[in-house]
Amino acid sequence: AVLERKAWEAEGGGEVQPYVAREAYDSLLELKVELEESEEALRSAAAELQGKQAALAEEARRLRTALAEAKDSQQRNADLADARGRNFKEAERGRVAAERKAADLAGRFEAADQLRIQ
């Protein structure tokens, strides 16, 4: 490789390297460009992933809220079913009591009717 006089400042250090092989310099320059492009691509991918993560977090929050609402609704439905069951039992007891009272009244009416006939 032919050595060429080329002042080359290292980033941040300000040091000058007086003799650098042209091929090595070009290779390092290409590598630097590739690294910068890769870094930009990684930053872009990271930003995209952060956006997706935020969207997924929002969806998870929405789903947790919907699940909590569904559980509350399920509990209310169970409570209503229990209340309906209690109401049905109470209504059944009331129906049985009304039938007994009706039978008792019918018996009394019949007895009173028999006494009137005599």
Side-chain angles (χ1 to χ4, degrees):
V2 177
L3 293 180
E4 180 179 317
R5 280 186 174 240
K6 178 79 174 178
W8 176 46
E9 284 192 34
E11 275 189 40
E15 299 174 16
V16 175
Q17 306 268 334
Y19 300 100
V20 177
R22 182 70 185 177
E23 289 176 12
Y25 177 77
D26 290 345
S27 178
L28 287 174
L29 210 51
E30 285 177 30
L31 184 58
K32 181 182 176 189
V33 169
E34 287 178 23
L35 286 173
E36 288 172 350
E37 289 171 354
S38 294
E39 182 180 12
E40 182 59 33
L42 285 173
R43 287 178 195 260
S44 175
E48 183 180 338
L49 287 174
Q50 286 175 340
K52 287 181 181 180
Q53 182 183 22
L56 287 173
E58 177 60 27
E59 180 68 8
R61 186 201 58 76
R62 190 187 65 75
L63 289 174
R64 280 192 300 273
T65 300
L67 178 61
E69 289 172 356
K71 285 181 179 180
D72 289 347
S73 178
Q74 183 182 22
Q75 184 60 48
R76 282 192 303 274
N77 288 341
D79 292 346
L80 287 173
D82 289 346
R84 283 187 200 117
R86 287 189 303 273
N87 289 343
F88 178 76
K89 288 177 184 176
E90 187 176 322
E92 184 63 20
R93 285 192 295 270
R95 185 190 63 78
V96 169
E99 284 179 356
R100 286 184 190 146
K101 189 170 185 176
D104 182 48
L105 289 175
R108 286 183 181 182
F109 180 73
E110 196 175 310
D113 201 30
Q114 289 293 329
L115 287 174
R116 195 172 49 102
I117 294 175
Q118 293 177 354

